[in-house]
Amino acid sequence: MRPEDSSTQAISNGHNGETNGASLKKALQPALNGHDRSATNGASFAANGATKKTSPVRTTAQWHGHNREEITRILIQGLNDLGYTSAADVLADESGFELESPSVAAFRSAVLDGRWNQAESILLGTGSGAESADQNQGGGLVLKEGFNRGQMLFSIREQKFLELLDQRELSRALTVLRTELTPLDYDMHKLHALSTLLMCPPEDLRSRAHWADTIEQARLKLLQDLSRSIAPSVMLREHRLAELFAQVKQAQINQCLYHNTSVAPSLYDDHDCSRDAFPLRTSDLLEDHSDEVWHVQFSPDGTMLASASKDKTALIYSVPSFELKHRLTDHSKGVTSLAWSPDSKKLITCSIDARAKVWNAETGRVISTFEHRTTDSYAITEAAWGPDSMSFVTGSHNRSLALCLWRMDSSTPQHVWEGGFRSDSVIITPDGRRMVVADTEGRLHCFNYHTYREEFSVHLGSRVTGISVSRDSSYVLLNLEASEVHMFDLEKRETVKTFTGQKQGSFMVRNCFGGAAENFVLSGSEDGLVYVWHKENTQLIEQLYGHGKGQSGKATVNTVDWNPVDPGMFASGGDDRKIRIWTNSVVPAEAIPGSLAREAPRHEISRTSAIRSTL
């Protein structure tokens, strides 16, 4: 807000006060990351690399404890990003700081225009026009500590290879693979994956290569990745101001224990969410099962909830009414688990009877039955859908059929992995790249879903009792017998966060990510409680009393799942045969109370696990 005596009117509602909403004097030029693409090769952009020095404003090297040059360069880039190129020029002129040197501008232009030889020449410092000021005495662009040019060259040549494939110039692409990529000896696994793309149909290339929709987008993504390796004193990462603002917002979210909305915090003020808006109260208590509830899962579109039980049935409820829609009764033994197809039209149920059945979610009828045909009967423990909703994988305690890939149009497995282990849990990442499997010996296996090859295997030191995956396909949550929940990074191949407090041991206990931005980790427990942690700081924020003892006298909460569409709702199921729906839509006075004090009628029946009892 300007002082009242300012000679220039304040900008209001997006209009310049001097024009009263009339068109701007100068139309903004199209910009890419704030930079004019019309610049000639090797020349600086308007604000990049030009030496403008009239009377720079530099009172001190610091501004409120921050480096003045860093702030100014980031502001120049941010103004260009916003389309305020003239303001960026003025700031560069007044401050005397340049955003980028001519060689960096030329490197940017070469990458975005697909002039790969020139881009490599500038990176390595072998070009005749390379500027020495920012190129480490002719040794190429200055990189951050720990980064190497081999990795960057691989990325540039990979882009070149993929563009040739996209243009169906297979001979030239093969030459690039053999004479340019292979000699770098950088990543043999990735090199092998690239070689398989030579036989890939054109329509599948982008999805198989995890490539952008257009070449222009792919090149921009490449430039963003490359800029992360270059020293920021030479080249700022793309959209650095926006990136910093995102970090500020994320920091506020991380400090807010109950942030559960997709609306980002405002930069105007500090952020805090009320606990009252969190789903802590039971709105519905579903009592349609006659035995332990082993698995609950919302459909991806959030309109249905399915449950699996020891009572040999699976149920489908409508959401949000939670009226019983279908009772699925074709299994002869307990239903260990279930899985919704990504399109929410089909449901797989897995059973101790060694069968997996696919159901039509709308009609409640069986579409197909898939059976492990062996002399010994082992449970099908879990199933996971591929992203096409037409293929899926089943896991089993049968060592010879521990992992089978099926298609809806065949009753014979399309592929059987030869792992030699017993599979407790299996998931496929939402992007369709990986399949992650937990075996009965405490090992985690990660496979490439397209090539079937195992990427890695790690020993966790404890058997996994439940597994789930994040929406961005980066992390899996692992419940361990050792009473810990681990968040495992699939890229780093290691546990990055640990959540403790819940009780686990003998039985299958499931977990999930939850909330509008998956800010929470949710888990069942063998003490009858539902545990909720803040994902970023691993703080235990809630222990919810929801499930009582079952027929065996145990009070295990076996399963939890958060509605993927409604961040204010999740479900839990336990030994007490009940499913609880937790929401933020009921006031405390109207909530259904906890049931720890109430026990189901006891008969001398031992407590069994959805999977453990089948070995």
Side-chain angles (χ1 to χ4, degrees):
M1 188 171 177
R2 297 179 184 273
E4 291 184 2
D5 60 351
S6 174
S7 59
T8 305
Q9 296 183 32
I11 294 176
S12 175
N13 197 29
H15 300 297
N16 188 315
E18 295 180 327
T19 63
N20 194 29
S23 61
L24 297 174
K25 295 179 181 179
K26 179 181 178 182
L28 295 177
Q29 297 298 318
L32 183 59
N33 189 28
H35 303 299
D36 185 0
R37 288 289 307 280
S38 63
T40 58
N41 298 343
S44 64
F45 296 105
N48 302 340
T51 306
K52 340 183 151 182
K53 304 329 128 213
T54 53
S55 55
V57 180
R58 296 186 188 180
T59 57
T60 64
Q62 296 290 310
W63 180 79
H64 291 276
H66 304 287
N67 182 284
R68 180 179 291 272
E69 180 179 356
E70 290 182 0
I71 291 174
T72 305
R73 291 180 65 220
I74 290 171
L75 287 175
I76 292 171
Q77 185 196 56
L79 288 170
N80 276 314
D81 281 350
L82 289 165
Y84 304 143
T85 54
S86 296
D89 288 344
V90 170
L91 178 56
D93 213 15
E94 290 188 359
S95 67
F97 295 123
E98 63 181 11
L99 178 57
E100 293 175 345
S101 68
S103 58
V104 169
F107 180 72
R108 177 190 302 278
S109 179
V111 171
L112 294 178
D113 291 339
R115 288 178 275 108
W116 309 121
N117 290 340
Q118 183 181 358
E120 290 190 17
S121 175
I122 297 171
L123 174 64
L124 300 174
T126 58
S128 58
E131 298 288 331
S132 61
D134 60 329
Q135 290 203 339
N136 196 23
Q137 291 78 43
L141 294 176
V142 180
L143 305 188
K144 291 181 182 177
E145 186 176 353
F147 289 83
N148 63 79
R149 286 173 174 77
Q151 176 183 352
M152 298 175 71
L153 284 175
F154 190 94
S155 297
I156 291 173
R157 294 174 182 180
E158 178 186 18
Q159 176 73 20
K160 180 180 179 180
F161 170 76
L162 291 173
E163 288 191 17
L164 290 171
L165 284 186
D166 187 60
Q167 297 159 7
R168 306 313 295 164
E169 297 189 35
L170 301 184
S171 178
R172 291 182 60 194
L174 181 59
T175 299
V176 170
L177 183 68
R178 288 176 173 173
T179 65
E180 297 184 32
L181 281 165
T182 301
L184 292 175
D185 195 25
Y186 171 65
D187 187 335
M188 297 309 296
H189 290 291
K190 195 164 190 179
L191 200 63
H192 175 78
L194 291 177
S195 67
T196 64
L197 297 177
L198 287 165
M199 304 301 293
C200 178
E203 61 272 15
D204 295 337
L205 175 63
R206 293 183 184 277
S207 60
R208 289 283 298 274
H210 309 288
W211 214 33
D213 291 336
T214 67
I215 286 180
E216 289 73 18
Q217 291 173 346
R219 289 176 180 175
L220 183 57
K221 174 66 166 55
L222 171 64
L223 180 64
Q224 292 171 345
D225 292 341
L226 293 173
S227 67
R228 295 179 183 276
S229 301
I230 300 173
S233 59
V234 174
M235 183 180 188
L236 289 180
R237 289 213 300 260
E238 302 291 289
H239 315 298
R240 181 58 178 159
L241 185 61
E243 191 178 65
L244 289 172
F245 284 152
Q247 290 175 11
V248 170
K249 291 183 176 182
Q250 189 59 51
Q252 294 213 26
I253 290 173
N254 293 347
Q255 293 172 7
C256 176
L257 293 182
Y258 294 98
H259 182 83
N260 191 25
T261 172
S262 58
V263 179
S266 170
L267 291 170
Y268 285 142
D269 204 353
D270 293 336
H271 175 74
D272 187 41
C273 290
S274 169
R275 180 176 182 270
D276 291 339
F278 201 75
L280 303 174
R281 299 172 290 277
T282 301
S283 63
D284 294 271
L285 188 63
L286 312 179
E287 303 180 86
D288 299 292
H289 281 296
S290 60
D291 213 327
E292 298 165 4
V293 178
W294 283 345
H295 198 186
V296 295
Q297 190 176 89
F298 286 97
S299 59
D301 63 7
T303 64
M304 291 171 283
L305 173 72
S307 60
S309 172
K310 182 183 176 183
D311 67 7
K312 308 176 188 177
T313 71
L315 307 179
I316 299 178
Y317 295 91
S318 297
V319 177
S321 67
F322 292 101
E323 294 180 0
L324 182 58
K325 184 175 181 178
H326 299 297
R327 184 181 292 272
L328 314 179
T329 60
D330 279 11
H331 285 291
S332 60
K333 294 183 179 180
V335 181
T336 58
S337 65
L338 40 80
W340 286 98
S341 61
D343 61 10
S344 298
K345 295 181 179 179
K346 296 183 285 291
L347 180 73
I348 296 176
T349 55
C350 304
S351 174
I352 299 174
D353 65 12
R355 294 177 176 85
K357 292 180 179 289
V358 178
W359 308 78
N360 183 308
E362 182 59 34
T363 65
R365 295 179 179 174
V366 175
I367 299 174
S368 299
T369 298
F370 300 86
E371 185 174 359
H372 286 183
R373 298 186 179 93
T374 60
T375 55
D376 298 319
S377 179
Y378 290 92
I380 295 182
T381 52
E382 276 197 356
W385 285 94
D388 60 357
S389 294
M390 291 300 295
S391 59
F392 61 92
V393 172
T394 56
S396 171
H397 282 164
N398 188 330
R399 291 185 184 276
S400 62
L401 296 171
L403 291 170
C404 298
L405 174 64
W406 309 80
R407 289 198 60 83
M408 290 296 298
D409 55 4
S410 175
S411 60
T412 303
Q414 179 177 328
H415 181 76
V416 177
W417 281 265
E418 297 179 358
F421 53 79
R422 302 174 188 266
S423 173
D424 268 345
S425 302
V426 56
I427 56 100
I428 295 172
T429 56
D431 62 9
R433 290 179 59 193
R434 294 184 170 109
M435 178 178 70
V436 184
V437 182
D439 68 21
T440 59
E441 303 301 321
R443 296 195 69 86
L444 191 72
H445 306 266
C446 182
F447 297 87
N448 183 304
Y449 184 58
H450 298 294
T451 65
Y452 309 145
R453 293 178 178 271
E454 186 172 59
E455 293 184 357
F456 64 87
S457 173
V458 296
H459 196 278
L460 301 168
S462 181
R463 188 172 174 182
V464 175
T465 73
I467 185 170
S468 58
V469 61
S470 61
R471 291 178 208 156
D472 65 3
S473 303
S474 298
Y475 305 99
V476 289
L477 277 181
L478 308 170
N479 275 28
L480 302 181
E481 278 185 339
S483 291
E484 292 180 343
V485 179
H486 287 197
M487 189 167 86
F488 189 92
D489 189 314
L490 293 175
E491 292 296 334
K492 295 181 179 179
R493 304 182 180 184
E494 63 183 14
T495 295
V496 291
K497 294 182 187 295
T498 301
F499 309 88
T500 60
Q502 86 290 4
K503 304 295 187 293
Q504 294 175 227
S506 304
F507 310 120
M508 298 303 296
V509 176
R510 300 182 186 277
N511 58 43
C512 68
F513 290 98
E518 293 196 329
N519 297 328
F520 307 102
V521 167
L522 195 67
S523 176
S525 180
E526 293 188 19
D527 57 6
L529 307 180
V530 176
Y531 285 74
V532 186
W533 295 269
H534 192 279
K535 185 182 75 175
E536 293 303 323
N537 60 33
T538 71
Q539 182 174 338
L540 177 63
I541 61 175
E542 294 293 341
Q543 295 171 272
L544 305 177
Y545 293 85
H547 291 275
K549 295 179 180 179
Q551 293 178 342
S552 65
K554 300 291 184 179
T556 300
V557 180
N558 302 303
T559 176
V560 290
D561 195 48
W562 212 295
N563 190 318
V565 175
D566 182 355
M569 176 188 294
F570 65 83
S572 62
D575 280 3
D576 60 359
R577 306 170 298 170
K578 297 176 178 61
I579 300 168
R580 281 186 174 261
I581 307 301
W582 304 83
T583 71
N584 58 7
S585 62
V586 295
V587 297
E590 297 174 351
I592 297 173
S595 61
L596 286 182
R598 298 184 296 170
E599 299 184 13
R602 288 190 62 178
H603 307 286
E604 294 305 316
I605 301 175
S606 62
R607 201 282 184 202
T608 59
S609 169
I611 299 176
R612 301 305 171 87
S613 62
T614 66
L615 281 173

